[in-house]
Amino acid sequence: MEFPKILTRFENIPNSRALATYEKHGGYEAARKVLGQKPEEVIALVKDSGLRGRGGAGFPTGLKWSFVPKSADTVYLLCNNDEGEPGTFKDRYILELSPHMLIEGMIIAAHAIGAKKAYIYTRCEFYDEIRWMNEAIEEAYKAGYLGANLLGTKLHIDLDHYIGAGAYICGEETGLISSLEGKKGQPKLKPPFPAVSGYLGKPTIVNNTETLAAVPWIITHGAAAYKAMGTEKSPGTKLFCVSGPVKKPGVFERPLGYPLKKLIFEDAGGMIDGKQLKAVIPGGASAPVLLPAEIETLTLDYEAIAAAGSMLGSGAVMVIPHDQPMMELLRILVNFFHHESCGQCTPCREGTGWLANIVQGVEEKTALPEDIEKLYQIALHMEGRTICALSDAAAMPTKAITKKFADELKQTIYANSRLGG
Amino acid sequence: MDTFAPDLQEKIQSELTRYETPRSAILPVLHLIQDYYEWIQPDHVAWLERDFGLSRVHVQEVATFYSMYRLEPCKPFRILFCDNLVCAMMGAEKVMDKIRDHIGSFPEGKCPFSLQGVPCLGVCDGAPAMLVNKDRHLKVNRDNVDAILASYKV
Ligand SMILES: Cc1cc2nc3c(=O)[nH]c(=O)nc-3n(C[C@H](O)[C@H](O)[C@H](O)COP(=O)(O)O)c2cc1C
Ligand code: SF4
Ligand code: FES
């Protein structure tokens, strides 16, 4: 399968993060091209490319940009670089390879939506990456790509870097906005959507790092070239993070629609130590687990994975080996979501608490086999009734594990109970 | 000392005007204070209100909401070990046991390490992963962990 590299085109290029390297390989040419165009033209091109948000939801990027009211005087662009979804490490890789690609994407996006101020919001645990990003921003200012009269135009775009402090919920776009306002990272009720009322009540576009980093290539090569890759409804390439007991874990850029098994067993080298595949989580911790039979012909695009009952999410492919107890993964999942729930909504706060309590009962030998069904029922009632999607993100994988591994989980409870053990 | 060190005051001041509102400076200012004094002390919150006009309530709610702020005295070397899905599958718990042994091997009160399990650190391709203060360590296992910890000396 032949396809151009977009996001990873600086792999194996020495000194890839430096501005000089980026410029040598055509860097900032797309921004130069775009700044002479009308914002509507830029939005139309990105719409036409079919680019969809890479933060998890897959929302069409150009369409989102077009929601900013034309009359708005102050507009903000925020890059969501919080990368907290367990199993995900692709945005980190973009900063490692080419922070300037992100800056250029943000200049283009800011011009398209009329933003004069943009922020990158990065999780604080990315210490090295934060430093690299800061260095790149400084270089870009010095070279006149940011600030007043950038690239010799009348435009003024400022870019700053904001650092989080350890809260998964700040990856949710309205939680991120709360955090940037200097508050607890609590999500806000939608509507109004951020595109209408976001940061400080002003129209705000939040995009994932990978989404924004793909934009310069699309501008340079055109919508048709982007659409030539991937599937009709999921065009372009995507970064997939393969992790778990495989020979070559890492980030792989592949066209959407790429076969999942090929990614795991060829590109990532297959399993280590003769382990067998037990299951795969295809799109981060929130994505329902899939069994080997379910991934036989599965392709990595939004539609195919949804049809298989899971989601492409952030593109985090977690490989689960045959000797991995599912009760342990379930325990980690429910504790994670319980810990990260911001507590505003009852179904999420209490629901994740109940899930965690029941699973805790397994260790304390108080759990009963019928608790597996109870977990499923609780999860069922946590969906679709909260301010943000964290509650759903906790419910979906819980439902899948308790349904697909009910027998194993019940056996674990039995073996661990006073009856069995 | 009844306020922040002068060089820190200067940094705090510039954060206050860096964003659209002073309130947005709360997270960055708390990072600065923590980097300077190792942990955020009740006095610091009071000084932020008295000397810099940042509401004590606003500061306190941020300080307690985010898990990376330390509100109590801490050890010189803080190990944050990822115990999330991938690191768990790759043996995190066993490595953490080894770290607990390492910590237990110091005479009472002399151990410079603390250990805490944390959610995914975004480096699952290097699982199991941990941070020691701001240093990232990947593919930490029972064989290499003692040597890594031995490189940290007070
Ligand atoms: C609980 C939760 C956590 C999220 N974490 C992230 C994250 O770490 N990074 C991210 O880009 N999007 C995250 N999202 C999705 C964002 O809310 C938002 O959809 C995304 O940043 C939009 O960018 P995109 O359109 O470019 O994908 C999260 C959503 C939820 C509900
Ligand atoms: S769903 Fe959960 S995390 Fe989201 S706002 Fe409600 S309580 Fe907070
Ligand atoms: S699960 Fe440990 S770094 Fe991601």
Side-chain angles (χ1 to χ4, degrees):
Chain A
M1 217 184 273
E2 280 295 311
F3 51 89
K5 296 229 155 136
I6 297 176
L7 299 150
T8 55
R9 63 181 184 272
F10 284 90
E11 261 174 358
N12 305 319
I13 292 181
N15 217 0
S16 69
R17 286 190 292 273
L19 176 59
T21 312
Y22 191 60
E23 286 174 325
K24 198 171 125 204
H25 291 84
Y28 289 103
E29 285 306 318
R32 216 177 287 276
K33 181 171 162 187
V34 151
L35 295 182
Q37 296 175 358
K38 289 204 182 77
E40 306 87 82
E41 292 174 51
V42 183
I43 293 181
L45 178 79
V46 173
K47 259 190 194 166
D48 189 27
S49 76
L51 175 65
R52 297 174 64 170
R54 304 296 192 226
F59 194 83
T61 305
L63 185 62
K64 188 191 271 190
W65 292 1
S66 72
F67 291 156
V68 174
K70 296 269 170 306
S71 57
D73 55 339
T74 308
V75 180
Y76 295 102
L77 172 68
L78 310 183
C79 167
N80 189 342
N81 193 39
D82 199 45
E83 188 142 87
E85 183 69 22
T88 315
F89 43 90
K90 64 189 180 68
D91 301 333
R92 185 203 91 213
Y93 193 53
I94 292 175
L95 266 56
E96 183 179 325
L97 285 179
S98 183
H100 281 290
M101 203 187 296
L102 174 60
I103 298 177
E104 184 174 15
M106 292 187 73
I107 294 171
I108 297 165
H111 174 56
I113 64 170
K116 293 185 183 62
K117 180 72 179 276
Y119 283 99
I120 300 168
Y121 184 106
T122 302
R123 60 179 301 178
C124 67
E125 298 88 343
F126 282 175
Y127 298 106
D128 291 339
E129 292 77 9
I130 290 170
R131 195 161 38 80
W132 298 332
M133 194 72 237
N134 288 343
E135 286 164 8
I137 293 174
E138 207 181 310
E139 275 183 317
Y141 265 105
K142 280 202 186 121
Y145 293 120
L146 289 170
N149 305 113
L150 61 134
L151 285 155
T153 65
K154 289 202 178 74
L155 293 166
H156 186 153
I157 299 171
D158 278 313
L159 174 62
D160 205 346
H161 197 187
Y162 198 83
I163 311 303
Y168 167 69
I169 195 56
C170 293
E172 197 281 338
E173 56 184 3
T174 56
L176 185 148
I177 289 170
S178 296
S179 183
L180 183 62
E181 290 169 346
K183 303 174 188 165
K184 295 189 273 189
Q186 288 182 324
K188 306 179 192 200
L189 201 58
K190 294 182 251 191
F193 287 92
V196 176
S197 174
Y199 176 54
L200 302 172
K202 302 289 184 193
T204 302
I205 292 295
V206 184
N207 273 132
N208 172 255
T209 304
E210 184 186 350
T211 312
L212 291 164
V215 170
W217 192 95
I218 293 172
I219 298 294
T220 305
H221 297 82
Y226 195 70
K227 277 193 289 196
M229 295 171 289
T231 69
E232 195 197 331
K233 288 184 176 150
S234 305
T237 66
K238 163 111 194 67
L239 298 180
F240 294 102
C241 317
V242 187
S243 65
V246 292
K247 294 197 180 105
K248 289 181 282 180
V251 180
F252 299 87
E253 179 172 17
R254 295 289 178 271
L256 285 147
Y258 193 82
L260 173 57
K261 276 191 82 171
K262 194 171 156 76
L263 181 72
I264 297 173
F265 290 98
E266 292 178 32
D267 304 339
M271 319 264 314
I272 55 167
D273 305 335
K275 288 183 192 269
Q276 301 296 310
L277 183 71
K278 181 172 188 174
V280 181
I281 300 176
S286 327
V289 65
L290 294 172
L291 300 170
E294 294 173 303
I295 68 157
E296 225 17 74
T297 58
L298 188 61
T299 53
L300 293 158
D301 48 276
Y302 296 98
E303 297 70 43
I305 300 197
S310 189
M311 59 180 204
L312 184 74
S314 57
V317 175
M318 289 182 268
V319 176
I320 303 171
H322 69 281
D323 53 357
Q324 172 62 48
M326 295 310 281
M327 187 61 88
E328 189 191 5
L329 297 189
L330 180 63
R331 177 181 58 77
I332 293 169
L333 273 172
V334 300
N335 282 330
F336 169 72
F337 287 112
H338 178 47
H339 183 258
E340 301 299 330
S341 166
C342 84
Q344 289 188 101
C345 322
T346 313
C348 175
R349 182 188 63 241
E350 301 301 320
T352 55
W354 291 340
L355 297 177
N357 273 341
I358 292 176
V359 174
Q360 181 63 28
V362 180
E363 249 155 73
E364 289 166 4
K365 298 182 186 282
T366 53
L368 299 168
E370 47 272 35
D371 283 343
I372 298 306
E373 174 63 16
K374 211 185 268 174
L375 288 168
Y376 185 89
Q377 288 299 332
I378 293 171
L380 203 57
H381 289 95
M382 289 168 60
E383 286 179 305
R385 52 190 80 197
T386 51
I387 294 176
C388 89
L390 185 138
S391 194
D392 304 81
M396 291 183 296
T398 304
K399 278 167 55 191
I401 291 190
T402 51
K403 194 161 197 174
K404 293 179 185 176
F405 293 95
D407 289 342
E408 180 193 319
L409 296 173
K410 285 178 188 169
Q411 267 167 25
T412 307
I413 290 180
Y414 188 76
N416 221 11
S417 72
R418 295 195 179 89
L419 301 170
Chain B
M1 195 173 37
D2 59 356
T3 190
F4 300 108
D7 51 337
L8 180 59
Q9 284 189 43
E10 233 169 82
K11 286 188 190 160
I12 294 174
Q13 197 58 53
S14 81
E15 287 297 318
L16 287 176
T17 50
R18 177 168 169 179
Y19 313 97
E20 285 69 22
T21 63
R23 190 167 179 181
S24 283
I26 295 178
L27 274 84
V29 162
L30 289 178
H31 278 306
L32 285 175
I33 293 173
Q34 179 161 281
D35 283 346
Y36 203 96
Y37 298 107
E38 297 282 292
W39 64 289
I40 297 160
Q41 302 161 22
D43 274 353
H44 298 159
V45 180
W47 299 342
L48 283 178
E49 183 168 70
R50 189 195 62 195
D51 302 343
F52 297 94
L54 289 174
S55 146
R56 184 192 292 243
V57 175
H58 291 169
V59 172
Q60 196 62 34
E61 76 176 26
V62 167
T64 50
F65 182 84
Y66 296 89
S67 65
M68 292 294 280
Y69 293 128
R70 298 183 294 275
L71 305 180
E72 278 164 23
C74 55
K75 299 281 188 188
F77 306 120
R78 300 161 299 270
I79 305 167
L80 302 184
F81 209 105
C82 172
D83 57 11
N84 213 276
L85 295 171
V86 182
C87 290
M89 288 197 283
M90 301 304 283
E93 196 47 48
K94 285 194 176 128
V95 189
M96 287 173 78
D97 278 341
K98 189 94 193 262
I99 296 175
R100 289 186 192 103
D101 290 346
H102 189 100
I103 288 176
S105 70
F106 287 88
E108 178 94 27
K110 293 272 189 263
C111 176
F113 295 103
S114 62
L115 173 65
Q116 189 192 336
V118 291
C120 179
L121 290 167
V123 287
C124 331
D125 45 345
M130 68 174 182
L131 291 172
V132 181
N133 294 357
K134 295 188 176 181
D135 305 335
R136 180 188 284 157
H137 298 277
L138 303 176
K139 302 195 180 180
V140 187
N141 58 44
R142 289 175 66 88
D143 297 327
N144 64 18
V145 70
D146 280 332
I148 296 173
L149 297 186
S151 68
Y152 289 92
K153 297 211 168 63
V154 256

